[in-house]
Amino acid sequence: MLYHFKKEERRNGTPMLGALMVYDISIKPPAEVWSFILPGATTLPMHAKTCYLYGQVSAGAESTAATMLRTGRMYSVFLNGRPDDSSDSTRGYKGKFCLVATANGGQQVIPIKRDMQAWIGEICPVQK
């Protein structure tokens, strides 16, 4: 979901995560569906291949209860973190995704890229 992350990691070092927030942006105003924050100055390294499982947090993190994600909805995720390079003004990374139903009754995450109309309109693209 965070497409420029690998390039930034090579350029600025490993960003350090302090908090994560997920919002349902299909409704107005957007509703928080899950978040966690690490206490004090505690941070976690965010490598390009790091995966944070929805609803699960590391020891010591303060978390809200994870609301069930629903198909046909668009979600926004914000990773509050900064790169190792103190001259870089980045304070976080944002991504969007939709959750769609699959033919076998499961669910699939569809990443929404910044160059997609769905990013601007905040409506999940129609699946074929």
Side-chain angles (χ1 to χ4, degrees):
M1 282 182 283
L2 305 171
Y3 299 100
H4 302 290
F5 198 75
K6 288 180 187 178
K7 182 172 130 183
E8 290 180 28
E9 185 175 337
R10 282 192 305 272
R11 185 181 66 226
N12 297 330
T14 303
M16 301 304 288
L17 177 68
L20 181 146
M21 290 140 286
V22 180
Y23 292 89
D24 181 342
I25 58 175
S26 297
I27 56 176
K28 303 300 179 215
E32 183 179 281
V33 293
W34 179 59
S35 68
F36 74 80
I37 186 167
L38 295 162
T42 305
T43 57
L44 294 171
M46 278 192 300
H47 299 285
K49 293 185 179 186
T50 300
C51 180
Y52 297 98
L53 298 178
Y54 184 75
Q56 296 183 8
V57 297
S58 64
E62 298 175 23
S63 174
T64 61
T67 302
M68 183 182 294
L69 300 178
R70 297 171 45 194
T71 58
R73 299 289 188 128
M74 182 175 285
Y75 296 94
S76 173
V77 60
F78 181 74
L79 301 170
N80 183 339
R82 55 175 299 132
D84 284 339
D85 182 355
S86 59
S87 68
D88 187 326
S89 62
T90 302
R91 295 290 180 262
Y93 303 88
K94 181 177 182 178
K96 294 181 182 180
F97 65 94
C98 288
L99 192 64
V100 298
T102 61
N104 66 0
Q107 296 175 325
Q108 179 181 359
V109 172
I110 305 297
I112 305 300
K113 299 178 183 178
R114 290 182 186 271
D115 62 353
M116 295 171 71
Q117 180 59 38
W119 182 279
I120 297 164
E122 297 185 339
I123 297 173
C124 292
V126 176
Q127 296 298 299
K128 298 174 184 172

